[in-house]
Amino acid sequence: MHEKASMHDKEVSRFLSRVLRHKPELIGIVLDEQGYTDIETLINNACEFGKHFDYAQLLAVVANNDKQRFQLSDDGTQIRAVQGHSHPSVKRHYEPQTPPNVLYHGTAVKSLDSIKQHGLTAQSRHYVHLSADSDTATKVGARHGKAVVLTIDTATMHAEGHVFYQAENGVWLTESVAVGYIDFGSH
Ligand code: HQG
């Protein structure tokens, strides 16, 4: 295959998730506290790393992304992932929001024992991620194995002072979820 073979949008999206959430140093880019990085540098450095896409393709990936994972700065020169970060440079500000009465968390059956012991913790990311609907949560859980959807009593959590945030793409975030707020269903 040609060295400069263009990438599919999905590959670009995966690559952007990797460097904008977890591993900017892979291509020598820097994320600011709000997660933004300079697009020109990103494209040039990605190219040197063997990942070839241009500004037009990046714009298309941002616009068409199924989960709206990315956001451009107002002037179009910077890009960030809106949630999902594990990188310590990023300390994103989100406005606290009142959550719906319940939210869902998709996980894998193999994690249930540990979750029953410790509750939901952020693992490598900065927050526990919660979904507004159980179908989405099922898909999130299936990434890790046989999926199971947990129902979180967010009304009580919120009433008891736990803080929730919603990323620009609708994903809900909170620091952790204690076992007492989790409905495991039949599991
Ligand atoms: C589990 C995707 C053992 C947790 C999704 C999950 C989401 C525990 C895994 C976003 C645990 C972490 C985030 C405990 C939590 N013991 N396991 N105490 N507490 N876990 O990938 O929520 O498509 O870091 O249940 O859609 O799966 O990439 O988090 O299974 O919104 O945009 O530890 O990533 O978005 O896995 O997914 P992850 P997640 P994108």
Side-chain angles (χ1 to χ4, degrees):
M1 210 202 260
H2 192 272
E3 190 203 354
K4 285 203 172 181
S6 62
M7 296 165 74
H8 294 297
D9 284 0
K10 197 156 193 173
E11 287 176 75
V12 175
S13 172
R14 286 221 182 93
F15 180 72
L16 290 176
S17 285
R18 188 161 181 222
V19 296
L20 297 176
R21 287 172 170 175
H22 311 298
K23 277 224 171 270
E25 45 287 311
L26 191 66
I27 57 167
I29 58 168
V30 175
L31 309 180
D32 71 17
E33 285 202 349
Q34 299 310 319
Y36 280 116
T37 197
D38 179 69
I39 293 176
E40 201 179 322
T41 311
L42 166 70
I43 290 173
N44 288 337
N45 292 16
C47 190
E48 280 173 25
F49 188 72
K51 303 285 185 186
H52 302 279
F53 52 91
D54 60 14
Y55 188 70
Q57 189 177 10
L58 180 139
L59 285 188
V61 167
V62 172
N64 303 331
N65 193 260
D66 57 349
K67 288 194 187 172
Q68 293 293 297
R69 292 176 177 89
F70 311 109
Q71 186 180 23
L72 299 179
S73 59
D74 289 342
D75 66 3
T77 65
Q78 295 185 292
I79 185 172
R80 71 177 171 190
V82 298
Q83 38 74 216
H85 303 91
S86 63
H87 198 269
S89 302
V90 179
K91 298 177 177 64
R92 274 218 55 191
H93 173 76
Y94 297 101
E95 280 302 316
Q97 304 277 341
T98 302
N101 286 340
V102 296
L103 285 170
Y104 303 92
H105 179 84
T107 190
V109 169
K110 63 176 184 248
S111 301
L112 285 176
D113 285 348
S114 174
I115 294 171
K116 283 178 181 172
Q117 239 185 307
H118 306 288
L120 291 170
T121 57
Q123 308 293 308
S124 64
R125 302 190 200 247
H126 295 170
Y127 295 98
V128 170
H129 286 54
L130 302 170
S131 309
D133 64 278
S134 62
D135 282 357
T136 303
T138 303
K139 288 182 196 141
V140 173
R143 289 157 53 247
H144 301 286
K146 187 168 164 17
V148 49
V149 174
L150 309 177
T151 306
I152 312 301
D153 181 1
T154 40
T156 304
M157 278 186 75
H158 186 249
E160 293 181 356
H162 295 276
V163 182
F164 290 83
Y165 309 96
Q166 195 173 25
E168 290 76 358
N169 64 350
V171 171
W172 285 90
L173 308 168
T174 196
E175 302 258 335
S176 61
V177 180
V179 183
Y181 300 116
I182 304 173
D183 181 347
F184 289 88
S186 57
H187 291 277

